Amino acid sequence: MITHRPSAKSIDEAAARWVARLDAGALTPAEETELTDWLDSDTRCVGAMARAQAYFVSPRMELAMRILRRPPAPSVAQWGTLPRRAVLMGAAASVLGAAVLVRRPAPAAGRRYASEVGEVRRIPLPDGSKITLNTDSVLEVDYREDSRTIRLLKGEAFFEVAKNPDRPFIVQGPKAQARAVGTAYAVRLEDDKGGMRVQVTSGRVAVELPPPSPPATAWQALERLWTPSAGATNGTHVTANQEAEVRIGLNAAGVEEVQVSLRDVAPGALGRSLMWREGLLSFEGVTLAEAAAEFARYSVQKIVVKGALAHERISGLFAATDPAGFARAIALGLRIKSKREGDVITLYK
């Protein structure tokens, strides 16, 4: 069976007609389906659509409109009458269209791992990398030929990354991501707004904005192509014995932005803060309320601190899943009282 491949001329004509229809108003669901099917029918359709859109927004609008609404495709000479700037826009759009609009099969869902409250789980990965998943945490692993992506959905994890310059290792949070090649670092989600903390024990990690999510429809992809974007920065580089804190704040114009602060951490202090990997919690000068909140991540038993005691500062090494033992030790050390009612332990004077 012989299949006739459409000519470039006919594809350009169809692209011009689609842009004119889009300009005339919103497409019906049936028309959107028809446009999607046409874009998927030939790899050249994407570039042709982008070129037609580029001519539509060119400075010579009246000429572009005549071209778009005339049934025959314009000749090379007719295209050449457009200003050089418009021609360059068309060429650039063709390249960008190929990068942005080419449809690929949806990737298979990543494998999900979760830990129970009080559980620390170790997960080996196919390339030799290792994950230590902290209490009550959830992540998804998505390994591809050119990348290794971990989506941290809840909690905290420590990553020991097998070095591979051709496959960056990326841990994605809601608002930022931590990208490395071969290193060891921990990532913790701090709040439901997208706050995140990254602690690096070896190597270097780039904390940066994640790439934009792929457009759901062909028209959304074209719309993105013509929408100015602030773009991602090169990120903040975090090296060994440093930690970065990601906060979601507002800039001077009142627009939400990702803010990253960086600080040095003494090697010993960083190691102690990661002792949860061994089932231990290390506190150095934290308030009693902060320690109680940390214990709440590892047990159904909750510690309630009454009054000014919440601001008392403590230090010490404790078993993460033994809040009752922690409460007894604190009561003894601070000469205060402790009582337990069901799953609630109260510290008071």
Side-chain angles (χ1 to χ4, degrees):
M1 178 178 178
I2 299 175
T3 301
H4 295 286
R5 193 175 186 224
S7 66
K9 179 178 178 180
S10 65
I11 289 176
D12 284 338
E13 291 174 359
R17 287 194 292 272
W18 273 117
V19 172
R21 288 169 68 179
L22 289 166
D23 179 61
L27 299 181
T28 66
E31 289 174 328
E32 287 185 357
T33 300
E34 184 183 351
L35 173 56
T36 299
D37 292 342
W38 177 74
L39 286 169
D40 288 339
S41 67
D42 193 297
T43 56
R44 296 170 295 169
C45 293
V46 170
M49 191 75 175
R51 284 194 299 275
Q53 182 77 358
Y55 283 110
F56 182 80
V57 299
S58 72
R60 295 287 301 278
M61 182 63 75
E62 71 287 352
L63 176 57
M65 291 300 289
R66 287 202 304 271
I67 292 171
L68 291 172
R69 291 171 180 167
R70 184 165 60 186
S75 66
V76 173
Q78 287 172 315
W79 286 113
T81 61
L82 285 170
R84 184 171 182 273
R85 177 172 175 267
V87 175
L88 291 176
M89 284 183 68
S94 177
V95 174
L96 286 174
V100 177
L101 298 174
V102 170
R103 291 174 173 267
R104 297 181 177 86
R111 184 169 182 181
R112 177 174 291 208
Y113 297 90
S115 59
E116 302 294 333
V117 173
E119 178 188 17
V120 174
R121 184 176 180 185
R122 291 175 174 81
I123 304 164
L125 297 179
D127 65 333
S129 299
K130 301 173 185 175
I131 298 175
T132 304
L133 195 59
N134 201 358
T135 175
D136 194 22
S137 299
V138 182
L139 56 74
E140 288 180 346
V141 177
D142 185 6
Y143 266 37
R144 308 193 183 203
E145 291 183 1
D146 58 350
S147 66
R148 299 170 287 178
T149 302
I150 311 295
R151 285 179 284 274
L152 184 59
L153 306 177
K154 182 182 180 182
E156 180 178 19
F158 183 79
F159 305 92
E160 298 170 84
V161 182
K163 190 170 184 179
N164 187 340
D166 297 325
R167 296 176 74 199
F169 192 97
I170 301 171
V171 179
Q172 293 182 341
K175 299 288 186 178
Q177 65 182 29
R179 176 174 50 84
V181 172
T183 184
Y185 61 108
V187 180
R188 173 172 170 171
L189 301 184
E190 296 280 43
D191 53 49
D192 56 5
K193 297 180 180 178
M196 190 168 79
R197 184 174 66 189
V198 179
Q199 297 174 302
V200 179
T201 60
S202 67
R204 188 171 79 155
V205 175
V207 177
E208 58 195 11
L209 296 178
S213 57
T217 66
W219 177 239
Q220 287 176 347
L222 280 173
E223 186 176 38
R224 176 180 295 174
L225 185 62
W226 302 108
T227 302
S229 172
T233 64
N234 291 328
T236 299
H237 288 93
V238 190
T239 57
N241 299 319
Q242 288 186 325
E243 71 175 18
E245 187 173 0
V246 177
R247 291 192 182 95
I248 311 305
L250 300 178
N251 60 19
V255 178
E256 181 182 283
E257 67 177 4
V258 177
Q259 303 165 346
V260 181
S261 60
L262 184 65
R263 74 183 186 96
D264 295 327
V265 183
L270 184 58
R272 286 190 292 274
S273 72
L274 294 173
M275 290 190 73
W276 58 261
R277 295 174 293 172
E278 309 303 326
L280 300 171
L281 294 179
S282 177
F283 301 124
E284 293 187 42
V286 304
T287 66
L288 198 48
E290 290 171 334
E294 191 65 13
F295 266 102
R297 300 176 60 211
Y298 294 84
S299 174
V300 295
Q301 292 183 341
K302 307 302 178 188
I303 300 173
V304 175
V305 186
K306 293 291 187 178
L309 276 176
H311 305 293
E312 287 281 347
R313 296 195 174 272
I314 63 165
S315 297
L317 187 64
F318 306 91
T321 56
D322 186 16
F326 166 78
R328 286 193 299 271
I330 291 300
L332 182 63
L334 296 181
R335 298 182 180 180
I336 59 176
K337 298 176 181 179
S338 170
K339 68 176 180 179
R340 177 176 173 178
E341 295 176 340
D343 286 332
V344 178
I345 302 170
T346 304
L347 295 175
Y348 63 100
K349 285 188 176 181

